[in-house]
Amino acid sequence: MLEVYDLYSGYGKIEVLHGVFLRVSHREIVCIIGPNGSGKSTLLKSIFGLIKPYRGKIQFMGLEISQKDPEEKVALGISYIPQGRNIFPSLSVLENLEMGATPLRDPLKMKKAIQEIFDHYPLLEKKKRLKAGSLSGGEKQILALARTSMIKPELILLDEPSLGLAPKVVDQIYREIDLINHQGVTFLIVEQNARKALRLAHRAYVLDLGVNRLEDTGEGLLQNEEVKRLYLGG
Amino acid sequence: MSSFFLQTIFNGILAGCIYALFAIGLTLIYGVLNFVNFAHGELIMWGAYFLYFLMDRPLNLPLSIAFLPALCLTILLGLGSDRFIFKPLRKASRLTLLITSLGLSFFLRNGAQFFWGAEIRTYGFEIKRGMKLFGVSITPNQLAIIVSSTLCMILLYLFFYKSRMGKSMRAISDDLELARVMGIPSDRAIQFTWIIASFLAGLGGILLALDTNLHPGMGLINLVKAFAATLLGGVGNLWGALLGGMIIGLSENIAVLLLSPGYKDAIAFGIMVMMLLIRSSTIFWPKE
Ligand SMILES: Nc1ncnc2c1ncn2[C@@H]1O[C@H](COP(=O)(O)OP(=O)(O)OP(=O)(O)O)[C@@H](O)[C@H]1O
Ligand SMILES: [Mg+2]
């Protein structure tokens, strides 16, 4: 579904990715792990088009998309959930979902999609009038996932969903990801603390210093001695 | 004494209404576009002069007919300054935008001076006696100020909290990049922001000029007040701007009870400097 071929990207003169290769198949959960500053977020931003790659290819469902804008990619069915701030804090939970529903265009469809989300996450419905900024970290992440899955994208690019969350909450987030995946959504997830992500992932890559070093199944990387020592903290 | 005090409070609220109109526009532009538009004051001033132009020779239009076209011209001026000046600089640094808006402000002020001279003008209405209400005198113009700014606040509330475009503008003001990521069309929202900000500036400028007078420097002095109100209310915060405007209006008028009226404008300036000292100046420099 997604193929990244020899991708070079960065910020102005600062090249961060020096030739990244990557493949994500339909309905897969693929995880990219790697240390701080290795270029994981840069990779997702490049795929989504927030920064334009210098060279290399990005193909999505057979279409060359490396120079397309984020808006076009949303239309093609790619969604991106950034690292850290990924909700509108001063908007209410409901308004966040309404904004998330923008690509659906039709007000009736929007309403229906939001009601489905509320049926699935009663907690969000209970808090729909509250400012999203007042939610807990886990609730914010759920809100971000909910408003993204609501528009039924083909592929979700997810940057560090577990950032700053307690282990129990991380488990919950990953259960949600698994659930959404079973509804047919493909995931490309970036993680720094990666054990849980690797357990869920069908396949995974290690990214370090802007190139990918290893590729294996999630379990495979979890068992890999070098990966354990270097990237999973022993 | 008590009716004198009531009159002061009333004058404060009156001034506060107008400052709030200015401050909301300023804070909107800041929230959505992330820079302080120093030319906002000139939209205020030009709004007032547009009306003057339409009511003066040779057109001699009556106020009721000239009012809306004057506002439309102000909106065009705002949209034009975005289209030809700020839009090409969308990706520029905050400092560039700040200096550009300062330049635009000088240009527009001198432009008004070129056409109408530097002297103080009025729309030429005879001053109507105010009616008395609880010992407070209210002129018809002042009543118009209160009614129309209250109406504006209600409409703004409905727009920002009930309409999709209004919600998008709040979302963009929260986080432009996230809005883009979510496919919220930002170009139209930015245009709408200019329309609303210019409309409020023009309306406020006209109301102010109806109640007092016009001169090319009226933009700058009111920019200071709007800016102080914006800082008080938290930059980018709509209701904060409303509240800030009221506080500035009230404190100015109450201070006149204690100080000579000549110091009136210094109050807003003092509040502005104080707030800048407290908040440092993250509004001029990108946040780290
Ligand atoms: N906007 C930017 N401008 C310039 N350089 C940047 C920018 N954002 C990131 N970088 C640099 O690019 C490199 C990779 O950053 P990136 O955010 O992709 O890392 P990451 O793997 O996501 O790290 P983390 O785990 O901390 O999120 C870093 O050296 C960083 O300093
Ligand atoms: Mg990152």
Side-chain angles (χ1 to χ4, degrees):
Chain A
M1 160 178 268
L2 180 77
E3 261 180 81
V4 174
Y5 182 84
D6 202 18
L7 190 73
Y8 288 74
S9 188
Y11 307 89
K13 284 206 170 65
I14 311 165
E15 187 180 287
V16 177
L17 304 178
H18 324 285
V20 174
F21 295 80
L22 177 76
R23 174 176 59 82
V24 183
S25 305
H26 186 55
R27 297 194 137 211
E28 246 186 339
I29 298 178
V30 171
C31 182
I32 301 166
I33 64 169
N36 218 304
S38 56
K40 305 183 298 294
S41 297
T42 308
L43 176 59
L44 288 196
K45 282 187 218 164
S46 306
I47 295 174
F48 191 64
L50 283 172
I51 52 180
K52 293 272 148 45
Y54 305 149
R55 60 194 174 90
K57 285 199 198 113
I58 305 174
Q59 291 205 328
F60 179 67
M61 311 221 273
L63 214 67
E64 169 58 40
I65 58 163
S66 64
Q67 297 303 322
K68 287 198 193 306
D69 287 330
E71 288 81 2
E72 299 173 76
K73 294 189 185 171
V74 172
L76 286 174
I78 306 178
S79 284
Y80 164 66
I81 304 181
Q83 177 179 346
R85 280 190 60 147
N86 51 26
I87 48 132
F88 298 113
S90 77
L91 268 58
S92 73
V93 169
L94 177 61
E95 286 167 339
N96 265 276
L97 291 172
E98 287 172 351
M99 289 296 109
T102 306
L104 294 178
R105 286 165 183 275
D106 174 19
L108 255 146
K109 268 194 206 158
M110 290 184 188
K111 247 200 162 121
K112 205 166 140 260
I114 292 175
Q115 194 49 53
E116 272 171 28
I117 292 296
F118 281 157
D119 292 343
H120 185 74
Y121 305 99
L123 182 98
L124 290 182
E125 177 157 34
K126 222 176 74 200
K127 299 198 168 182
K128 68 178 178 184
R129 304 249 166 254
L130 295 185
K131 279 191 177 181
S134 71
L135 299 180
S136 72
E139 289 165 350
K140 282 181 190 153
Q141 201 59 250
I142 292 282
L143 176 57
L145 271 172
R147 68 125 212 275
T148 309
S149 63
M150 181 171 68
I151 59 173
K152 309 256 185 308
E154 297 288 336
L155 169 68
I156 296 182
L157 308 170
L158 182 53
D159 200 345
E160 298 216 25
S162 71
L163 190 74
L165 299 182
K168 253 201 162 128
V169 185
V170 177
D171 289 341
Q172 194 201 346
I173 301 292
Y174 274 104
R175 269 202 303 279
E176 289 306 330
I177 293 173
D178 197 24
L179 223 79
I180 297 169
N181 175 244
H182 275 98
Q183 292 161 8
V185 182
T186 310
F187 274 93
L188 178 58
I189 306 177
V190 148
E191 271 291 3
Q192 203 183 129
N193 303 317
R195 280 176 192 281
K196 279 171 185 155
L198 287 182
R199 224 162 275 147
L200 184 68
H202 303 114
R203 279 184 316 108
Y205 295 85
V206 176
L207 188 73
D208 200 352
L209 298 173
V211 291
N212 39 344
R213 305 218 93 91
L214 286 163
E215 177 194 343
D216 203 340
T217 60
E219 275 306 317
L221 281 188
L222 268 176
Q223 303 307 328
N224 185 313
E225 287 305 321
E226 193 193 347
V227 170
K228 269 195 206 164
R229 187 162 49 79
L230 287 174
Y231 305 113
L232 299 174
Chain B
M1 173 64 208
S2 87
S3 87
F4 184 61
F5 188 70
L6 269 181
Q7 182 76 50
T8 304
I9 299 290
F10 174 74
N11 290 345
I13 291 175
L14 200 66
C17 285
I18 290 183
Y19 298 158
L21 294 179
F22 298 158
I24 289 175
L26 190 65
T27 221
L28 256 180
I29 296 281
Y30 181 88
V32 170
L33 293 165
N34 229 331
F35 75 99
V36 180
N37 179 19
F38 278 100
H40 193 69
E42 274 50 53
L43 289 172
I44 295 169
M45 182 262 295
W46 270 88
Y49 274 99
F50 278 137
L51 183 67
Y52 184 86
F53 165 72
L54 294 169
M55 287 170 60
D56 192 22
R57 280 177 313 245
L59 295 171
N60 285 323
L61 297 175
L63 175 64
S64 53
I65 293 182
F67 186 70
L68 277 179
L71 284 175
C72 291
L73 286 171
T74 318
I75 290 173
L76 279 182
L77 182 62
L79 281 174
S81 63
D82 183 54
R83 177 65 192 79
F84 296 108
I85 296 169
F86 295 115
K87 191 171 181 195
L89 294 173
R90 206 69 94 210
K91 295 223 159 68
S93 77
R94 234 186 256 194
L95 186 63
T96 310
L97 288 166
L98 188 123
I99 291 172
T100 307
S101 74
L102 255 175
L104 179 65
S105 154
F106 276 108
F107 177 76
L108 289 175
R109 193 169 339 138
N110 286 322
Q113 197 159 327
F114 175 78
F115 288 118
W116 291 287
E119 66 266 29
I120 290 180
R121 290 169 186 270
T122 67
Y123 292 126
F125 297 118
E126 56 196 293
I127 294 175
K128 292 208 185 72
R129 281 276 307 275
M131 51 183 170
K132 285 270 180 191
L133 209 71
F134 305 111
V136 176
S137 118
I138 308 175
T139 68
N141 283 347
Q142 292 173 334
L143 195 65
I145 292 177
I146 303 256
V147 171
S148 48
S149 42
T150 310
L151 202 65
C152 269
M153 299 304 160
I154 295 171
L155 289 177
L156 279 176
Y157 171 80
L158 292 176
F159 175 72
F160 281 114
Y161 288 85
K162 304 290 171 204
S163 82
R164 199 167 175 85
M165 175 59 81
K167 290 175 197 174
S168 307
M169 278 166 63
R170 282 166 53 223
I172 290 173
S173 157
D174 248 11
D175 194 330
L176 176 61
E177 177 151 305
L178 184 59
R180 267 195 83 196
V181 161
M182 286 166 59
I184 299 170
S186 59
D187 280 357
R188 264 196 338 141
I190 288 173
Q191 273 181 358
F192 243 85
T193 307
W194 280 100
I195 291 178
I196 294 178
S198 322
F199 171 82
L200 294 176
L203 178 68
I206 288 172
L207 291 173
L208 185 68
L210 278 170
D211 194 37
T212 57
N213 52 47
L214 319 77
H215 56 99
M218 69 188 279
L220 183 63
I221 182 68
N222 283 294
L223 174 77
V224 171
K225 298 185 181 181
F227 190 43
T230 304
L231 288 171
L232 263 180
V235 192
N237 182 336
L238 286 172
W239 308 118
L242 169 61
L243 199 69
M246 285 295 166
I247 293 174
I248 303 271
L250 281 168
S251 47
E252 266 182 8
N253 280 280
I254 293 172
V256 170
L257 292 177
L258 312 167
L259 301 165
S260 135
Y263 294 112
K264 195 168 163 183
D265 292 336
I267 302 292
F269 201 76
I271 292 178
M272 179 180 84
V273 172
M274 202 178 69
M275 292 308 295
L276 282 175
L277 284 175
I278 297 174
R279 293 245 163 120
S280 81
S281 38
T282 46
I283 41 164
F284 294 131
W285 304 103
K287 279 162 260 174
E288 282 308 316

